[in-house]
């Protein structure tokens, strides 16, 4: 039996990520099923489902944050794909990543641009 948070999170995950997010969750089920559930309940059931920001804005913030971290390339790729899924253009995503050069440095922005290039090529 799944909690209301889980059900809300699954719906939101599909809206944001299509099948990409489900693949991440599925890949954790054999090693950390509780963590897979947490990934649905907290980020998507609690945070993404809040009013106040639309999904495009949430993905702009997420792509910016993951780019700035500079060490989250797999997650960045998932969220670049999600950003496209919720309506951002490739050009908008590139601008968000380039903006991060100012705050996170050129190496982080370069890593982000290469991640975006890979995601765009795979579409």
């Amino acid at each position: 039996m799944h909690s209301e948070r889980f059900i809300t999170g699954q719906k939101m995950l599909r809206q944001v990520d299509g099948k990409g997010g489900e693949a991440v969750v599925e890949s954790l089920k054999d090693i950390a099923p509780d963590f897979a559930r947490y990934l649905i309940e907290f980020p998507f059931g609690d945070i993404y489902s809040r009013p106040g920001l639309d999904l495009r804005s949430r993905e702009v913030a997420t792509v910016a944050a993951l780019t700035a971290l500079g060490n989250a390339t797999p997650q960045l790729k998932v969220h670049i794909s999600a950003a496209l899924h919720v309506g951002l253009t490739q050009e908008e995503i590139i601008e968000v990543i380039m903006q991060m050069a100012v705050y996170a440095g050129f190496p982080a922005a370069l890593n982000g641009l290469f991640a975006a290039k890979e995601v765009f090529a795979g579409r």
Side-chain angles (χ1 to χ4, degrees):
M1 185 95 163
H2 293 298
S3 70
E4 189 172 321
R5 289 172 69 214
F6 185 87
I7 293 166
T8 300
Q10 270 191 320
K11 288 177 187 174
M12 189 57 63
L13 179 61
R14 281 189 209 106
Q15 261 188 281
V16 171
D17 233 357
K19 298 203 184 257
E22 291 175 14
V24 171
V25 170
E26 191 63 35
S27 71
L28 289 169
K29 285 191 175 177
D30 63 339
I31 188 168
D34 287 339
F35 196 78
R37 181 174 44 83
Y38 300 152
L39 280 175
I40 292 174
E41 289 177 344
F42 178 65
F44 295 96
D46 293 342
I47 303 298
Y48 270 80
S49 63
R50 291 175 52 82
L53 287 177
D54 61 14
L55 294 178
R56 283 176 50 92
S57 299
R58 289 185 187 281
E59 284 305 317
V60 165
T62 304
V63 167
L66 291 170
T67 298
L69 284 173
N71 62 355
T73 301
Q75 294 80 16
L76 178 58
K77 288 178 185 178
V78 168
H79 282 281
I80 289 169
S81 183
L84 292 166
H85 191 258
V86 298
L88 272 82
T89 65
Q90 290 184 7
E91 293 77 17
E92 290 171 319
I93 293 166
I94 294 302
E95 287 299 321
V96 168
I97 294 170
M98 286 175 54
Q99 179 73 21
M100 292 304 98
V102 176
Y103 298 98
F106 274 78
L110 279 169
N111 291 343
L113 290 169
F114 289 132
K117 182 177 181 178
E118 200 173 309
V119 171
F120 299 162
R123 285 180 136 329

